[in-house]
Amino acid sequence: MTVAPTALTVLTTVDSAEKAEALARGAVEARLAACAQIVGPITSVYHWQRAIETSEEWQIVFKTTQTRYDALEAHLLAVHDYETPEIVATTIVRASAAYLEWIETETAVP
């Protein structure tokens, strides 16, 4: 029997460690994510307004569920200060049952 994956990793980037911690803490406190990991600084190279830009950023990886994704995305869009923030979700295809259960429990609507 195959069970459809329900857990996601969702990532975004910001331009400071302080903003990354605020976004991570806000999402976890609101139970939109069970966990948020901050990686950085990283160097991003991208097209923006007809130019190639290079900037230092911090990446945040949220662990959440399919059910909580829309609320997490809405939260990130509401508090993010980028005009077009990166918000990318990837399905967790395999993980331990205990870890998946923990994500479900920690993101349950209170």
Side-chain angles (χ1 to χ4, degrees):
M1 177 168 115
T2 304
V3 176
T6 61
L8 303 172
T9 58
V10 178
L11 65 90
T12 193
T13 54
V14 294
D15 61 5
S16 75
E18 295 78 16
K19 289 177 186 177
E21 186 169 343
L23 275 179
R25 183 169 295 280
V28 172
E29 285 176 350
R31 295 198 171 273
L32 301 173
C35 171
Q37 297 170 314
I38 300 167
V39 180
I42 60 173
T43 301
S44 294
V45 180
Y46 52 94
H47 282 276
W48 184 248
Q49 298 180 346
R50 301 181 188 258
I52 296 178
E53 301 286 338
T54 301
S55 63
E56 185 175 82
E57 294 184 299
W58 281 255
Q59 184 178 70
I60 311 143
V61 182
F62 301 92
K63 309 308 182 347
T64 193
T65 62
Q66 298 270 1
T67 303
R68 297 297 276 157
Y69 174 80
D70 289 339
L72 176 59
E73 180 183 332
H75 172 76
L76 294 175
L77 289 171
V79 300
H80 209 296
D81 65 349
Y82 284 11
E83 183 178 332
T84 307
E86 170 187 27
I87 303 173
V88 177
T90 304
T91 302
I92 296 174
V93 177
R94 304 237 2 209
S96 70
Y99 186 72
L100 294 174
E101 183 178 323
W102 174 76
I103 293 173
E104 287 281 344
T105 299
E106 294 305 317
T107 58
V109 178

